[in-house]
């Protein structure tokens, strides 16, 4: 039998531009003190700022908690065909 995964609900909560909780995360592609790149159910999510940290990561639940000084948050679309193939960043950071 083929196992189907239900898409995880995606939610982004930012508190006082200091902490953030993200659900519906498929993968953490890269992170450093100034930028965190997440693949979510709703596309790629880039968080920029200073002193950024990934405090908690649960790949099974698709949840990530971030902290630091959040300056910007931006989404970019990823279509289903691109998701089925490994993208450039996933290959780069394996």
């Amino acid at each position: 039998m083929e196992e189907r995964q239900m898409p995880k609900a995606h939610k982004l909560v930012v508190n006082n531009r200091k902490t953030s909780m993200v659900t519906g995360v498929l993968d953490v592609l890269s992170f450093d003190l100034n930028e965190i790149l997440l693949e979510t159910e709703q596309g790629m999510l880039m968080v920029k700022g200073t002193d950024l940290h990934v405090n908690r990561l649960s790949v099974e639940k698709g949840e990530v908690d971030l902290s630091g000084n959040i300056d910007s948050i931006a989404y970019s679309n990823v279509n289903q065909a691109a998701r089925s193939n490994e993208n450039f960043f996933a290959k780069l950071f394996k």
Side-chain angles (χ1 to χ4, degrees), residues 32-35 48-53 67-71:
D32 60 33
L33 292 175
N34 299 311
E35 183 177 286
K48 290 187 178 184
T50 55
D51 200 29
L52 296 175
H53 298 279
S67 67
N69 300 310
I70 299 170
D71 294 332

Side-chain angles (χ1 to χ4, degrees), residues 37-93:
L37 182 61
L38 306 171
E39 182 179 5
T40 73
E41 291 288 341
Q42 298 295 310
M44 300 302 247
L45 176 63
M46 181 170 294
V47 179
K48 290 187 178 184
T50 55
D51 200 29
L52 296 175
H53 298 279
V54 176
N55 292 330
R56 183 180 66 90
L57 168 62
S58 173
V59 177
E60 297 81 26
K61 292 182 180 180
E63 297 176 352
V64 175
D65 288 347
L66 310 173
S67 67
N69 300 310
I70 299 170
D71 294 332
S72 71
I73 296 173
Y75 284 95
S76 63
N77 290 332
V78 175
N79 60 26
Q80 292 291 69
R83 257 192 213 166
S84 63
N85 298 327
E86 285 190 9
N87 62 32
F88 172 74
F89 290 110
K91 290 178 185 176
L92 183 64
F93 292 106

Side-chain angles (χ1 to χ4, degrees), residues 3-59:
E3 183 178 324
R4 288 190 180 166
Q5 290 184 341
M6 296 296 295
K8 299 174 186 124
H10 173 63
K11 184 195 294 189
L12 170 65
V13 178
V14 179
N15 297 311
N16 297 320
R17 292 180 56 187
K18 297 290 183 196
T19 62
S20 177
M21 189 267 306
V22 186
T23 65
V25 175
L26 302 173
D27 198 6
V28 177
L29 299 178
S30 69
F31 63 92
D32 60 33
L33 292 175
N34 299 311
E35 183 177 286
I36 299 172
L37 182 61
L38 306 171
E39 182 179 5
T40 73
E41 291 288 341
Q42 298 295 310
M44 300 302 247
L45 176 63
M46 181 170 294
V47 179
K48 290 187 178 184
T50 55
D51 200 29
L52 296 175
H53 298 279
V54 176
N55 292 330
R56 183 180 66 90
L57 168 62
S58 173
V59 177

